[in-house]
Amino acid sequence: LDHLGNTLLQTLNKEKSFFTNLAGAVVMDSGISDNAIIDMLFILQSCFVSDGGSAAVFASVPHDLAEKLITSILMWESNGSINAVNIGAGRQIRKTTEDLILLTPVLSAHSLPWLIKALDDIDNDADSSEEYFSVLIRLVESNKDSDQIREKISHSQLSVLASALCKKLSQCPRPDTSLSDYSSGVLCGCLRLLKALIHIKAISN
């Protein structure tokens, strides 16, 4: 943060109140613009970089606001008309959120149970799930490298994830065999995640 940003933060009564208001402004506003979310992500990135403890404070805000914020913007779809600009903005928001999670170890650890819980609610026809599955796969794959900065996922967490994934796969509609190019982003994401889980299981045995 620059001098102005630090001054602004110092005027706040509590850091948790600041993050609560910031997350609540996005979660509670169904008509929020893409630009506002991009600005909010920049603020979060700046706070997490300037203060190593900020991510833990953010994750602990009340009313599950951090969880609701992260899971919603990781699968964000623009509210505006379908055009190249809005599609690009939505992609930027999802990718920036993915990077924010993966580059912030504390947030990675907190995000895992949030994302597992969100799996059951993902629309099977969603076109904005690529970054969501990418985060989960990266977190799972981090278990095979001992020099990763993120904490490894426990066996119990992997089991919970595997159970949620199997449930989701059972809910995915069967492909229409009349469509040779049929593909579902959610189904493909689930299969990629399943492959990562099987690989980790094979390594651990």
Side-chain angles (χ1 to χ4, degrees):
L1 289 174
D2 57 18
H3 176 71
L4 179 60
N6 282 316
T7 302
L8 174 62
L9 285 178
Q10 291 170 6
T11 63
L12 299 171
N13 292 327
K14 294 181 180 179
E15 190 177 28
K16 181 175 287 190
S17 296
F18 170 67
F19 285 130
T20 299
N21 292 332
L22 187 66
V26 176
V27 172
M28 304 301 179
D29 185 355
S30 60
I32 192 168
S33 70
D34 293 340
N35 286 337
I37 295 180
I38 292 171
D39 289 342
M40 180 274 302
L41 281 166
F42 174 77
I43 292 172
L44 286 180
Q45 288 175 324
S46 300
C47 290
F48 294 170
V49 169
S50 65
D51 182 356
S54 290
V57 176
F58 167 75
S60 68
V61 298
H63 312 302
D64 299 325
L65 284 175
E67 174 182 352
K68 293 173 182 176
L69 175 65
I70 292 299
T71 54
S72 64
I73 61 177
L74 186 58
M75 293 179 281
W76 185 260
E77 294 184 356
S78 296
N79 293 319
S81 59
I82 300 178
N83 55 52
V85 173
N86 287 334
I87 291 175
R91 168 77 180 187
Q92 179 184 356
I93 289 169
R94 297 192 301 271
K95 183 59 180 175
T96 303
T97 305
E98 175 187 351
D99 292 341
L100 181 68
I101 295 172
L102 294 176
L103 294 176
T104 312
V106 171
L107 188 57
S108 292
H110 281 87
S111 294
L112 179 62
W114 300 344
L115 300 183
I116 294 174
K117 190 194 305 184
L119 181 58
D120 191 48
D121 295 326
I122 297 178
D123 188 334
N124 291 325
D125 296 321
D127 293 323
S128 56
S129 61
E130 179 181 349
E131 291 77 14
Y132 165 85
F133 284 107
S134 179
V135 169
L136 279 177
I137 291 169
R138 288 283 300 278
L139 293 179
V140 168
E141 290 179 338
S142 69
N143 272 33
K144 65 184 179 183
D145 298 322
S146 59
D147 59 345
Q148 290 288 329
I149 61 174
R150 292 182 293 273
E151 291 185 17
K152 290 192 173 184
I153 303 175
S154 67
H155 289 296
S156 61
Q157 287 177 314
L158 287 173
S159 296
V160 172
L161 174 56
S163 297
L165 179 59
C166 289
K167 180 181 178 182
K168 188 63 178 179
L169 279 168
S170 70
Q171 297 171 346
C172 288
R174 300 185 63 163
D176 184 348
T177 56
S178 66
L179 301 175
S180 59
D181 62 345
Y182 175 90
S183 65
S184 163
V186 173
L187 177 58
C188 291
C190 285
L191 293 175
R192 288 170 51 226
L193 179 55
L194 178 61
K195 179 181 177 181
L197 284 169
I198 292 173
H199 184 59
I200 289 298
K201 179 64 176 176
I203 291 176
S204 64
N205 287 341

